[in-house]
Amino acid sequence: MLDYPNNISEFEERFATEDACRAYLFKLRWPDGFICPRCSTNKVWQQTDGLYRCKSCDYKCSLTSGTMFEGTRKPLLLWFQAIWYIVSQKNGASAKNIQRILELGSYQTAWAWLHKIRRAMVRPVRDNLSGLVEVDETFIGGKKPGKRGRGAEGKILVGVAVEDKGDEGIGRIRLGIIPDASASSLNEFVIERVNKGSIIRTDNWPGYNGLKTVGYERCVIGRKDLKLVHLVVSLLKRWLLGTHQGAVSHEHLSYYLDEYTFRFNRRTSKHRGMLFMRILENAVTIKPISYKKIVKNIRGKKPSNHKI
Ligand SMILES: [Zn+2]
């Protein structure tokens, strides 16, 4: 289904009511009609309270239960507006922007929504990069430059992979936090994000020596010649400092990396509406997560309050 609003006026016209939002979300969640999440049959009663009751196993569920929207007390209309705003801003939105635009009473709500929406920017199954791919690592955060291979106080090491499409320029990117610049960490970073058989371009750091043994060709150039990686890293850092004023805590950095990747890989897309639809498509397939869990459930290192 490729059915989305093309611009703000189409968006406003189409999603003027809660019912219109529900109908759209229903279509994304159950394109072939309702299917019981428990027994997978399709016979259903629609109750007056908005719940669906399975005729076969009596299971009751709502349109939003089991999705990113589970438990929300706000109208879908507001969520749709938040997502539309996020995809239509070139550099994304901060929690403060969202709070102001939607006139939300609480900053925490805006902050939690952004985190939930960020999770819906990652497709449950992602295609790997392929072809010629430039790979390097960079430190994010802290004031002093970090020492390679040893880590540095208050800094996070981020792996960066960038497709080199020759005359067409940069293809897609992948970013991810890595524990260190050892061979095993770098191998794992590449294996999870790049198809075997691809050519990996790196500098002469020995941590990349093992790539051949795990199925890649390696091409070595000088560190300063890793131009694609350096460009992506400088744009990423500018984005973190600009849109988010550097206020990204260590424990949440990986989700910001996901948002940046989502935006970067779709930077040439003229169809902002399609991004809106993709986020909603993911939103009905990802598991719900509570505010408490967003605060607590941290990927990567232990929580701290360091700022970028
Ligand atoms: Zn059922």
Side-chain angles (χ1 to χ4, degrees):
M1 173 175 109
L2 280 177
D3 170 25
Y4 50 81
N6 285 301
N7 51 49
I8 179 80
S9 58
E10 282 185 30
F11 172 84
E12 284 175 348
E13 198 175 313
R14 175 146 191 196
F15 300 114
T17 65
E18 188 68 3
D19 280 347
C21 299
R22 290 182 59 88
Y24 189 71
L25 204 63
F26 186 98
K27 234 2 198 159
L28 289 177
R29 185 171 187 188
W30 294 301
D32 303 314
F34 177 86
I35 291 178
C36 173
R38 191 206 262 163
C39 74
S40 299
T41 60
N42 60 4
K43 300 278 182 291
V44 68
W45 277 295
Q46 208 174 335
Q47 302 192 156
T48 48
D49 57 7
L51 292 180
Y52 301 96
R53 200 171 116 211
C54 176
K55 286 188 182 180
S56 156
C57 77
D58 215 32
Y59 185 71
K60 285 191 209 94
C61 74
S62 72
L63 172 61
T64 53
S65 60
T67 76
M68 181 184 89
F69 304 104
E70 183 174 288
T72 185
R73 276 165 289 185
K74 300 272 192 225
L76 283 176
L77 203 64
L78 267 190
W79 279 96
F80 276 37
Q81 286 169 359
I83 296 169
W84 182 266
Y85 181 76
I86 288 166
V87 299
S88 59
Q89 299 300 303
K90 190 166 168 277
N91 292 312
S94 67
K96 276 206 177 105
N97 295 148
I98 294 292
Q99 187 190 5
R100 182 171 49 82
I101 299 291
L102 303 181
E103 296 173 2
L104 293 172
S106 113
Y107 175 82
Q108 273 74 18
T109 303
W111 183 88
W113 280 25
L114 264 175
H115 273 283
K116 289 182 183 195
I117 293 166
R118 217 165 263 135
R119 281 169 167 81
M121 289 180 174
V122 183
R123 275 170 51 200
V125 184
R126 277 205 278 196
D127 302 328
N128 281 343
L129 305 185
S130 60
L132 176 58
V133 180
E134 206 169 277
V135 175
D136 197 13
E137 346 82 51
T138 185
F139 281 111
I140 301 268
K143 286 220 163 56
K144 284 182 267 173
K147 283 219 179 80
R148 211 172 180 185
R150 277 198 280 160
E153 200 62 34
K155 288 175 178 298
I156 313 174
L157 194 59
V158 171
V160 183
V162 182
E163 277 178 341
D164 183 346
K165 291 289 184 189
D167 291 343
E168 291 167 43
I170 292 179
R172 297 166 299 165
I173 63 166
R174 292 281 183 268
L175 304 166
I177 292 177
I178 49 179
D180 50 50
S182 68
S184 67
S185 299
L186 292 170
N187 281 351
E188 195 182 317
F189 173 77
V190 172
I191 289 166
E192 282 176 4
R193 292 167 182 82
V194 185
N195 284 335
K196 295 262 163 89
S198 301
I199 303 165
I200 309 293
R201 186 163 65 209
T202 70
D203 63 9
N204 63 0
W205 177 249
Y208 294 105
N209 289 352
L211 284 174
K212 274 198 171 152
T213 61
V214 289
Y216 300 92
E217 258 187 74
R218 180 184 177 205
C219 153
V220 179
I221 59 171
R223 187 165 174 84
K224 66 175 187 337
D225 296 320
L226 295 169
K227 295 213 162 67
L228 306 188
V229 160
H230 292 158
L231 177 64
V232 168
V233 167
S234 71
L235 292 171
L236 167 68
K237 288 184 176 172
R238 201 184 301 166
W239 180 74
L240 287 170
L241 286 170
T243 304
H244 302 289
Q245 268 120 52
V248 176
S249 56
H250 279 199
E251 55 268 44
H252 295 115
L253 179 64
S254 62
Y255 296 106
Y256 287 89
L257 298 181
D258 287 345
E259 176 178 354
Y260 189 78
T261 303
F262 178 87
R263 290 184 175 284
F264 190 91
N265 290 345
R266 290 160 184 81
R267 67 200 178 282
T268 57
S269 167
K270 289 185 190 75
H271 305 284
R272 310 318 287 178
M274 194 197 286
L275 308 192
F276 167 81
M277 185 190 75
R278 294 283 178 234
I279 289 178
L280 285 175
E281 269 177 353
N282 292 338
V284 294
T285 48
I286 58 175
K287 293 265 166 291
I289 181 163
S290 67
Y291 174 76
K292 247 172 114 179
K293 225 168 165 208
I294 295 175
V295 175
K296 271 192 168 168
N297 174 25
I298 307 306
R299 288 194 299 193
K301 292 252 165 155
K302 69 176 163 51
S304 70
N305 288 316
H306 293 290
K307 301 279 191 262
I308 300 295

